[in-house]
Every structure is written in C-alpha cells, then in structure tokens.
Amino acid sequence: MLRLAEVSFGLEGERIISKISFTLGQGEFAALLGENGAGKSTLCRLSMGLLKPAAGRVLVCGQDTAAVKTSAIARQAGFLFQNPDRQICRPSVAGEIMLGLELTVPDPAERERRCRETLALFSLDPEAHPFNLSRGERQLLALASVLAPGPRLLILDEPTTGLDYRECMTVMEIIARRNREGATVLMVSHDMEVASDFARRVLVLNRGELAGDGPVREIMRDQALLQRASLLPPQIPALALSLGGQFAAAFTIEEMAALAANSRRGRL
C-alpha cells in the first residue's frame, strides 16, 4: 500500500529526511513517533505526494508519487493535516464531508448516503459553519471528511490533537474499525499511550532518519532507542521495566496498554 525506497528530502540546503525506506502492507497499523522537528509531518506529506522526494521513490498503491498527480493519489489515500484549519474549505459541515465524496464517488445517491452515515458517526450538525465549531470539533470534521470516501490508505498527522479523552477514544475506535475493515494506517502521534493501545507497528524518526521499526512490544521496551529519539515510554510499560524483568515479562505490551487505558478511564 505504501513503499518508501531510500527517500530523502530537504529545503534550502537543509536535509529534513534522509534515506528512509519502509513498506506498509494492506491492513497494517503503524504509529510514526519522534520528537518535534524529527521530520514526521514531512514524511507524511511525502507519503501522500504533497511533497516530491529529492531522491528515492514513494509508491502509493503502486503509483509513483513523482509520476502522477496528487489528485490520483487522493483517490486511494486520505490525508489528515495536523491543523484542521488547513484543509477545511467549505461553508457547512455537510459540504465539507461531501467535498471528498464528490471527487471519488460518482453516484450522487451513494454520496448522500455516505455523508449521512458519516455525520451520524461523528455526531456532527450538517448545517453548522465549520469555523463556528470548537478546535476539537473541527478536528473531528476534518477526520470525518477524510474517512467518508473510504480510502485504502490513511495518513493521519496527529488525529487526536485538540480532543478530550472521550473524543480521542471515539476517534481512535473509528480509525481502528477502518483498519480492521482493511485500511492501512500510518498515524503520527505524540501520545505514547494511544500509540501502544492501537498501533501494531512503530516507526521511530530521529533527526530525519529512521531510527527504529518494529512491533509495538519491541519498540516500547527499547529504552536506548526511545532515549535517543527523546521519547518517553507509555506509563505502564515504563513502570514494568523499572520494577524489573520478572514483572515486565508477566505482561504483554497489549496487556500493559490495556492496564494504562483502564487507568486513564478510571480518572475521568
């Protein structure tokens, strides 16, 4: 679904991404982690064809992003900007959701059906003006408009930014459901608990280079890697590691993530 081969990118002589290679197959769910300035948003834009690599190749569903229009990539992939105000452009919530559907779904009746279902799923008012919504509501709208056409690949740059806990869990459950239905997900997150709860694979960026790539369990236990990338492990795995190998070995990373999620729910 997504393949990067020796991809590099820079601006004004400054290298932002350096020789990154990885492949995401259909149905994978990968979290992209790294400190601010590591190159995560740039990598997302390269993966969507919004930026073209200075070297290497980016393939989305077999299409080379340097050889096709971004509109062709958009028929296969959905992209969520970190700031929803950068992608909202219509004067009503329903109109914003319809935008992507008009570009990808030829049947008007099917567009209307998907729009209604998406509005209900996200509990959005179809007549509201997007910029009368709260920051969190605009984030929900931006994600709703990305998901409505049913893209095969989802590239999500901080999908839970500006959301409270309940909104965050609603959004992540919707994304997880799309993933179970077959969509491939590449998700940037600064929330290590969210990453460990939902992703199955982790890519770690450090100063524009791919410093780590592996299953969630392995990456979250690699203290040296996380330290190099200026990342803190999720709370429960970190506690397990601090208490020693016997306790840590008693739980899988998924079980420890569930403990963390239940702990957060108990504080609400």
Side-chain angles (χ1 to χ4, degrees):
M1 295 299 293
L2 175 63
R3 180 179 174 229
L4 276 72
E6 293 289 305
V7 171
S8 296
F9 179 82
L11 290 173
E12 298 179 352
E14 179 183 358
R15 184 63 60 90
I16 300 173
I17 294 294
S18 182
K19 295 183 178 180
I20 288 183
S21 297
F22 67 85
T23 299
L24 291 182
Q26 182 176 351
E28 286 202 70
F29 193 144
L32 181 60
L33 307 180
E35 65 178 331
N36 290 336
K40 302 184 300 298
S41 292
T42 298
L43 183 58
C44 286
R45 287 171 169 79
L46 285 163
S47 298
M48 188 64 191
L50 299 175
L51 297 174
K52 308 301 181 184
R57 300 178 71 202
V58 178
L59 300 175
V60 177
C61 300
Q63 299 180 95
D64 191 327
T65 62
V68 299
K69 294 181 178 179
T70 304
S71 58
I73 301 297
R75 294 187 181 94
Q76 304 289 337
F79 182 81
L80 179 72
F81 285 87
Q82 189 177 78
N83 183 348
D85 297 349
R86 293 184 177 179
Q87 66 188 87
I88 293 173
C89 61
R90 286 199 167 178
S92 74
V93 165
E96 186 64 31
I97 293 173
M98 285 296 291
L99 177 60
L101 292 170
E102 289 167 358
L103 297 173
T104 57
V105 180
D107 180 23
E110 176 65 11
R111 291 199 296 264
E112 292 289 343
R113 184 188 68 80
R114 291 199 194 186
C115 184
R116 287 194 304 271
E117 288 183 352
T118 303
L119 288 165
L121 184 63
F122 284 87
S123 300
L124 294 168
D125 177 1
E127 303 302 323
H129 193 292
F131 289 100
N132 289 333
L133 302 177
S134 69
R135 170 64 171 75
E137 289 169 330
R138 295 198 302 278
Q139 185 76 357
L140 290 173
L141 172 58
L143 179 61
S145 67
V146 168
L147 294 181
R152 299 167 62 195
L153 171 66
L154 292 171
I155 302 171
L156 309 174
D157 194 351
E158 293 281 359
T160 60
T161 296
L163 305 182
D164 63 26
Y165 176 79
R166 289 181 178 83
E167 291 171 330
C168 173
M169 289 299 101
T170 296
V171 163
M172 291 309 305
E173 289 295 347
I174 291 171
I175 293 170
R177 185 191 311 164
R178 291 298 176 92
N179 175 244
R180 291 192 296 270
E181 293 169 351
T184 301
V185 179
L186 177 63
M187 178 186 74
V188 174
S189 181
H190 279 101
D191 190 324
M192 298 291 281
E193 276 76 19
V194 166
S196 63
D197 284 356
F198 291 94
R200 295 186 296 278
R201 177 179 172 186
V202 173
L203 306 172
V204 178
L205 282 189
N206 185 31
R207 299 180 181 180
E209 297 182 351
L210 188 60
D213 178 3
V216 171
R217 179 183 177 89
E218 293 180 9
I219 297 297
M220 295 304 183
R221 286 173 175 266
D222 192 336
Q223 294 176 294
L225 169 63
L226 297 180
Q227 186 173 18
R228 286 200 309 275
S230 301
L231 297 171
L232 294 174
Q235 293 177 356
I236 295 297
L239 176 61
L241 288 168
S242 71
L243 292 176
Q246 183 175 358
F247 182 85
F251 296 94
T252 66
I253 195 73
E254 293 81 7
E255 290 168 336
M256 289 189 282
L259 287 171
N262 289 333
S263 175
R264 293 197 299 275
R265 292 186 185 103
R267 292 198 297 269
L268 292 177

